[in-house]
Amino acid sequence: QKSLKTILLGLPAMKVVLFDMDHTLIDYPWNFFEEFALDILDKYFGKRTDTRTALEIITEETGYFQSQGVDEEEFWRIYNELDPTNRLAAVRRGDIKPMAGAIELLSGLKQKNFHLGIVTTTPEISGRPLLEGLGLLNYFDDISFKGKIYNKPRPEPALQILNKLNGITKDVFFVGNSKNDMLCGKAVNAKTIHVKDNCRECIADSCIKSLNEAGKIILG
């Protein structure tokens, strides 16, 4: 039954699910991005460090570049240039694949007329070919890739998708695997679903262990 507001405006009530991409919809080998960063540091800068530092580098939570005299801009130029090829090679090897239950969930939601979107900090040059290579791209109506200014946990990437909808959002869900995903979802008043093993101090509306459980929550 349509709400009075919807009837008065003559606009459809739209059901929306926004997804994080990496480690939520797409499954990667353990330390995939960290190993890639370590390889670049070794080959192009003659630097060696550990996996923990590599994680801080890719999450931009370290002063490593300055302390080691590494040109940060050049590092990211090389990283972003090689990233699409690196990911697609891993897809061909079968190392990167859709998360268990992802295709079934997306198919089921599309059949129920949900509007599906992705909010990711992955650059479009890497993300779009990856989604296409995994057969996931066509499930989505809109995608917000990494922005030059605003990224999760700020609401702008999610609002970029929601503001394009030609209707009133009746139900909005945000499915992700990180605190930033949940903060972004809450910032746009979405019902948040945190997909993560051993979820501690969860700030989400629902916390589940696998993507297979998300459909039950979204479809009620």
Side-chain angles (χ1 to χ4, degrees):
Q1 185 176 359
K2 292 183 179 179
S3 67
L4 178 60
K5 184 177 181 181
T6 303
I7 294 173
L8 290 175
L9 294 176
L11 297 173
M14 305 187 74
K15 300 176 291 184
V16 184
V17 185
L18 303 177
F19 289 90
D20 169 54
M21 190 177 82
D22 297 334
H23 301 296
T24 297
L25 288 172
I26 299 177
D27 193 11
Y28 291 83
W30 182 252
N31 289 336
F32 178 81
F33 297 104
E34 292 88 337
E35 292 295 334
F36 183 45
L38 290 172
D39 189 49
I40 290 174
L41 285 171
D42 184 18
K43 287 184 178 179
Y44 293 90
F45 299 94
K47 299 289 185 178
R48 295 192 178 185
T49 186
D50 53 37
T51 303
R52 181 175 179 177
T53 301
L55 175 61
E56 294 174 350
I57 289 172
I58 62 177
T59 54
E60 301 180 7
E61 298 176 354
T62 181
Y64 175 84
F65 295 113
Q66 184 175 0
S67 67
Q68 296 298 313
V70 174
D71 187 329
E72 183 173 0
E73 185 175 332
E74 179 66 5
F75 172 86
W76 286 114
R77 184 193 69 77
I78 295 170
Y79 187 103
N80 291 328
E81 181 179 305
L82 300 179
D83 186 38
T85 301
N86 185 54
R87 295 200 204 201
L88 290 178
V91 170
R92 289 191 293 270
R93 293 194 303 268
D95 292 339
I96 295 178
K97 51 188 178 296
M99 193 68 74
I103 292 177
E104 293 80 4
L105 174 61
L106 297 174
S107 297
L109 293 174
K110 292 300 287 186
Q111 290 174 7
K112 296 293 183 178
N113 297 316
F114 276 81
H115 180 99
L116 304 183
I118 290 178
V119 181
T120 178
T121 53
T122 295
E124 183 171 5
I125 192 174
S126 297
R128 189 173 293 278
L130 178 63
L131 289 165
E132 185 173 12
L134 292 172
L136 298 176
L137 185 62
N138 291 336
Y139 287 105
F140 296 95
D141 303 287
D142 202 357
I143 302 173
S144 175
F145 291 103
K146 183 176 183 178
K148 293 182 179 180
I149 302 176
Y150 298 125
N151 291 292
K152 295 180 292 186
R154 292 184 61 101
E156 285 86 352
L159 289 173
Q160 176 182 315
I161 295 176
L162 296 176
N163 289 340
K164 290 181 181 179
L165 298 179
N166 185 27
I168 297 172
T169 53
K170 177 183 178 183
D171 294 304
V172 181
F173 294 86
F174 198 117
V175 183
N177 76 311
S178 72
K179 184 177 180 179
N180 280 350
D181 293 328
M182 300 303 99
L183 290 172
C184 181
K186 286 182 175 295
V188 296
N189 296 316
K191 298 172 185 176
T192 50
I193 302 175
H194 195 171
V195 188
K196 190 173 184 180
D197 286 331
N198 301 319
C199 191
R200 297 177 182 178
E201 299 181 2
C202 185
I203 65 170
D205 296 303
S206 302
C207 191
I208 58 180
K209 291 185 176 181
S210 71
L211 201 58
N212 293 316
E213 302 173 53
K216 296 177 182 178
I217 296 173
I218 295 170
L219 297 173

